[in-house]
Amino acid sequence: MIETAPITEKAVIVGLINSQQDERQVKEYLDELEFLADTAGAVVLKKFTQKMDIPNKATFVGPGKLEEIGNYIKVVEADTVIFDDELSPTQLRNIERQLECKILDRTNLILDIFAKRAQTAHAKTQVELAQYQYLLPRLTRMWTHLERQRGGIGMRGPGETQIETDRRIILEKIARLKEQLVKIDKQKATQRKNRGKLVRVALVGYTNVGKSTIMNMMAKSEVFAENKLFATLDTTVRKVVIENIPFLLADTVGFIRKLPHGLVESFKSTLDEVREADILLHIVDISHPGFEEQIETVNNTLKEIDAGDKPLIYIFNKIDAFTYEEKDEDDLTPRTKANFTLNEWKNSWMAKDNTPALFISAIEKENIDVFKQKIYDEVKKIHVQRFPFNDYLYEITEE
């Protein structure tokens, strides 16, 4: 038997430094893009950046930088160039023509990962819809070899070009996928109704912050958890009992900055569990240097799906992996957030905000008792209002 290992694509990634994103942010964004590329199965050989106020309309980066990228990929024989921002159809076509290799943008890469991760019919339908919506305005790039007018025997008449045929087929496909999603959404809504009036708690947060690990710890379930982006696409709901009170716990798809709009639209139905939750547990990776920006990204996405006003508890996870840069005594430069200790973070805006905040490690099981007690207290407040003569509180447990 001959075993062949999957071929790893060699990639370079490209980002712009401008007034919206400074050098530090771009470094962080490109690190995340590299993680996305790794999740998709590519190895990143080099990162290119350029300072520009606005992207070049024709080639995103300047002609000189594009030539530099082209020379490099020829030397290392790279397969793919990935740009950190969404490229217009014109930019895609021009860059591909000059570099003569596969060109992806952040949106295309995320869609590819979602397609790879989708397991259920619901997730697959949502991803397929987003892919077709992304593809539609880019047909001129995808099908240039088919743009010739149809002709010959049996082909005379309106003279529809191949690209127009493809556009019509895709529009029909989009309409059909939307119909399928409406049916699936009705089934999901019925399932949610059948769960009764139990208190609902949803885990939300940036991708790869440990939501599925917390879900497995709380529900003693086997939700897929991996140190990769978007390990979970489908919402998983489990019944959890703490002490004597049962509630429903939902694990949801992770958010990410610059999340493609088509995906947000497609996955809004998946996030119904978030919209209908009584309490949101916003899981944050405290060990990530940009966790405050990740919090902002998640909160903005929650507002976008009409869930920004839900009762929320911040759960700062991965305290076991938290590190900080200790300043030397003779270092007179101002302290930055990189120099904050964990205690200083705890006493910063997190303590001043009215939103409750807990600090845990799901992997090392640190502060889990406090975590469970807080959830119990918050669930109980809603539970006793909903079930004033509650059987659960007085049920006799058998020995």
Side-chain angles (χ1 to χ4, degrees):
M1 184 191 291
I2 299 173
E3 289 188 11
T4 55
I7 298 170
T8 302
E9 288 188 33
K10 292 186 285 186
V12 300
I13 56 180
V14 184
L16 284 187
I17 299 166
N18 52 37
S19 55
Q20 276 77 47
Q21 44 191 46
D22 59 27
E23 200 164 339
R24 179 197 63 80
Q25 286 174 311
V26 170
K27 180 186 179 303
E28 190 181 312
Y29 295 170
L30 290 186
D31 286 345
E32 183 173 87
L33 191 65
E34 182 177 9
F35 200 0
L36 282 166
D38 175 62
T39 301
V43 58
V44 173
L45 303 178
K46 189 175 173 68
K47 300 171 185 173
F48 287 91
T49 59
Q50 185 173 25
K51 290 184 180 178
M52 292 182 78
D53 288 336
I54 56 171
N56 185 302
K57 287 184 179 179
T59 54
F60 189 75
V61 293
K65 180 61 70 174
L66 197 63
E67 186 179 348
E68 182 189 341
I69 295 168
N71 292 336
Y72 178 80
I73 63 175
K74 283 174 186 171
V75 171
V76 298
E77 297 181 343
D79 309 288
T80 310
V81 179
I82 308 170
F83 289 78
D84 189 44
D85 291 283
E86 188 167 321
L87 300 174
S88 71
T90 303
Q91 288 169 333
L92 270 168
R93 190 164 58 250
N94 292 338
I95 296 167
E96 199 167 59
R97 189 180 294 136
Q98 187 162 334
L99 297 185
E100 297 179 335
C101 71
K102 183 164 59 176
I103 307 300
L104 299 176
D105 58 19
R106 187 184 181 92
T107 299
N108 204 343
L109 183 61
I110 291 173
L111 285 170
D112 184 78
I113 294 167
F114 269 60
K116 185 178 172 185
R117 296 286 189 181
Q119 297 294 322
T120 65
H122 196 199
K124 286 176 181 175
T125 305
Q126 289 169 320
V127 174
E128 194 177 352
L129 175 60
Q131 285 178 314
Y132 277 120
Q133 288 170 331
Y134 174 83
L135 175 63
L136 191 59
R138 293 166 177 81
L139 276 178
T140 49
R141 164 181 167 263
M142 304 292 288
W143 301 106
T144 47
H145 62 295
L146 296 175
E147 284 178 348
R148 292 188 302 276
Q149 194 86 5
R150 285 181 176 183
I153 299 169
M155 302 303 289
R156 305 181 206 283
E160 186 175 43
T161 59
Q162 182 63 47
I163 192 167
E164 287 167 346
T165 306
D166 293 329
R167 182 174 281 117
R168 180 169 49 78
I169 290 168
I170 287 179
L171 284 169
E172 288 170 359
K173 187 77 174 173
I174 286 172
R176 199 156 56 246
L177 288 167
K178 284 182 175 179
E179 286 175 12
Q180 287 177 25
L181 280 179
V182 168
K183 288 178 185 175
I184 296 172
D185 292 344
K186 284 180 181 176
Q187 292 168 0
K188 295 275 184 185
T190 303
Q191 288 173 6
R192 285 193 295 274
K193 278 182 184 175
N194 291 340
R195 291 184 196 138
K197 294 183 179 179
L198 283 179
V199 178
R200 296 180 185 180
V201 180
L203 300 170
V204 297
Y206 210 76
T207 182
N208 201 43
V209 294
K211 295 187 301 298
S212 296
T213 303
I214 290 172
M215 178 74 167
N216 288 335
M217 175 189 71
M218 293 289 291
K220 297 180 176 62
S221 58
E222 293 299 322
V223 176
F224 182 63
E226 186 185 13
N227 188 30
K228 295 278 186 184
L229 300 179
F230 304 115
T232 304
L233 287 192
D234 293 293
T235 301
T236 306
V237 182
R238 296 284 184 270
K239 184 177 176 182
V240 177
V241 180
I242 298 181
E243 293 186 27
N244 52 1
I245 294 184
F247 61 93
L248 296 173
L249 183 64
D251 181 22
T252 61
V253 62
F255 303 145
I256 195 168
R257 63 170 68 90
K258 301 180 185 178
L259 189 66
H261 181 71
L263 269 179
V264 175
E265 284 298 311
S266 297
F267 273 77
K268 272 187 175 177
S269 57
T270 295
L271 295 167
D272 279 342
E273 292 290 351
V274 176
R275 274 196 294 272
E276 296 183 17
D278 298 294
I279 302 167
L280 300 182
L281 302 183
H282 184 163
I283 314 300
V284 181
D285 177 2
I286 188 78
S287 70
H288 193 284
F291 74 85
E292 285 184 293
E293 287 178 52
Q294 293 185 349
I295 290 172
E296 187 179 357
T297 297
V298 173
N299 287 339
N300 288 339
T301 310
L302 288 174
K303 287 174 188 171
E304 195 174 339
I305 63 168
D306 302 322
D309 57 349
K310 296 278 180 186
L312 185 142
I313 304 170
Y314 283 115
I315 309 296
F316 292 93
N317 189 26
K318 304 189 183 183
I319 58 172
D320 57 302
F322 175 84
T323 57
Y324 68 97
E325 296 171 15
E326 199 166 352
K327 281 174 64 73
D328 295 329
E329 288 183 12
D330 57 350
D331 185 351
L332 301 179
T333 58
R335 293 180 85 233
T336 66
K337 290 177 179 179
N339 307 124
F340 281 19
T341 65
L342 191 58
N343 279 333
E344 285 175 317
W345 274 118
K346 288 179 182 179
N347 293 317
S348 66
W349 60 266
M350 301 171 188
K352 295 170 187 170
D353 200 334
N354 292 326
T355 306
L358 301 174
F359 293 78
I360 70 164
S361 167
I363 289 287
E364 299 297 328
K365 304 291 190 291
E366 288 185 61
N367 299 337
I368 298 305
D369 288 343
V370 177
F371 168 69
K372 287 184 176 178
Q373 185 61 47
K374 180 63 181 175
I375 295 172
Y376 173 81
D377 292 341
E378 296 302 317
V379 169
K380 185 178 178 182
K381 287 176 191 173
I382 301 169
H383 189 90
V384 294
Q385 289 176 349
R386 203 167 286 176
F387 303 99
F389 305 102
N390 176 29
D391 294 334
Y392 294 110
L393 292 173
Y394 308 107
E395 66 181 3
I396 299 169
T397 54
E398 294 182 9
E399 294 295 330

